[in-house]
Amino acid sequence: MVKTNKTQCFTCHRENNTYTCEGCSNRFCVIHLTEHQQLLNEQLHHIIDDYNEFKQRINQQKQSPLNHSLIKKIDQWERQSIEIIQQKAQEYREVVIESLQTCINNIEMKFNDLNKQIQQLQKENDFNEIQLNHLRNQLKKITEELNSPSNISIKQESQSFINDISFISLEKKSKTSKWKQNATSMAGGNGEGQELSQLNRPFGIFIDKNKNIFIADDCNHRIVEWKYNAKEGQIIAGGNEKGNRMDQLNRPTNVIVDQQNHSIIIADSGNRRVIQWLNQDQHILTENIDCCGLAIDKNGYLYVSDIVKNEVRRWKISEYNNEGIVVAGGNEKGDELNQFNHPNFIFVDEDQSVYVSDTGNHRVMKWRKGAKEGRIMAGGNGEGGDLNQLSYPRGVIVDHLGQIYVADFGNDRVMRWCEGNDEGEIVVGGNGKEDHSNYPRGLSFDDEGSLYVVDSLNHRIAKFEIIL
């Protein structure tokens, strides 16, 4: 405190010798200066109390981490899940008991009938080996039916019927990248045409580790490989006019490179087949399928979307001639969580979860391995241009953070959606067709994180360089 000349006290407003408080810059007389100091001491004690309370909380959490609120939420989920399981188990016990009782009653009737036959033979005392074998076989069948009732069995579904929970790191999710808004043409961009420097409404792309771009050049009925920074491409499949010969293609929509044998796999949609090209040798992997999207997972399984059957099928490597298995959809056309309306591009992550551009429903769905229905990950709020909407989405890719990138075809933009968010954000485009892209289709990243967009009606592959 600093003593000053006579002036008014801040508290009693009397003229008196006063002292200035350096903290609040107010002047106090001797009496009220003491009160002011006592008030400051009380405030200090409150801070000390809060500090001690906080220190106690830290010690409690260190000693008892299981008391944390997040742990309590997991405990609550566990209790509720156990209750659901117990309730379900009791329900099925009652069903099994009732079915077993019916089975036993039926067996008992057959047993009584068999007993009558045995008694009749004993009474008549006139029987042979054929009759004895008949009785023996009947008894054997009844015994097997008792040991293994045919009218009931237990089937375990791979998809759990309880609600799942997952852990999301907010720190991890906050690290988002940005890209330059002015694109560079990496392939095409010389107008519509069939010259080696041109493309005609390209559809899907695949980028290898050397940044070479493999392009499904849809309306030119060919697959073109465009070396990094090349001025023109090289035809590696098709290019022999539209047709259904083995060396021809018809409106190819997608292409992927099988890293294991260096072959290319093509969704030859117009010919309703998936075909493999290896050193100019062709082999049909599957046919009679209205294919559009393609993907290969880390185990070499091939995934194909069917826009007519509204499903995604998976084939085991080296066994492509069979029908495969349905891993998403397959429940006719519709907008329920177990249905699709024109499934388009697909992406498969490390856990073999399948992400599908459900184009006609204006949403992106995620189907976990073995799931009976999907989850809406983007869109799903009708067609539109708001941040919670999509318009006929096409290409879909997922980065290592689980963020979903969607080619929002009808809105001329690429969007990013983070799991759990109600709306997405615009990554590139969204300012009109002439600014960035004209009906974007396929999407891909290179190893440096640059974003490649199939700018279909500008007949080019556009590259957006990463900023951070």
Side-chain angles (χ1 to χ4, degrees), residues 12 64 88 175 180 193 223 296-297 303 382 393 437 450 454 466:
C12 63
S64 304
K88 205 73 175 178
K175 299 176 182 178
K180 293 181 180 179
I223 303 298
I296 286 185
D297 68 17
Y303 298 73
S437 61
S450 292
V454 176
I466 191 168

Side-chain angles (χ1 to χ4, degrees), residues 21-69:
C21 174
E22 293 181 357
C24 64
S25 299
N26 293 323
R27 298 185 178 92
F28 298 93
C29 64
V30 174
I31 296 175
H32 292 110
L33 176 62
T34 303
E35 292 181 357
H36 184 61
Q37 289 175 329
Q38 289 176 346
L39 178 61
L40 294 178
N41 284 330
E42 290 176 3
Q43 292 177 355
L44 175 62
H45 286 307
H46 283 308
I47 293 173
I48 294 173
D49 290 341
D50 290 342
Y51 167 82
N52 290 332
E53 181 181 352
F54 185 74
K55 183 178 180 181
Q56 185 178 3
R57 287 179 60 190
I58 292 178
N59 291 333
Q60 287 175 348
Q61 290 203 12
K62 287 174 63 177
Q63 296 172 2
S64 304
L66 294 178
N67 289 330
H68 194 279
S69 60

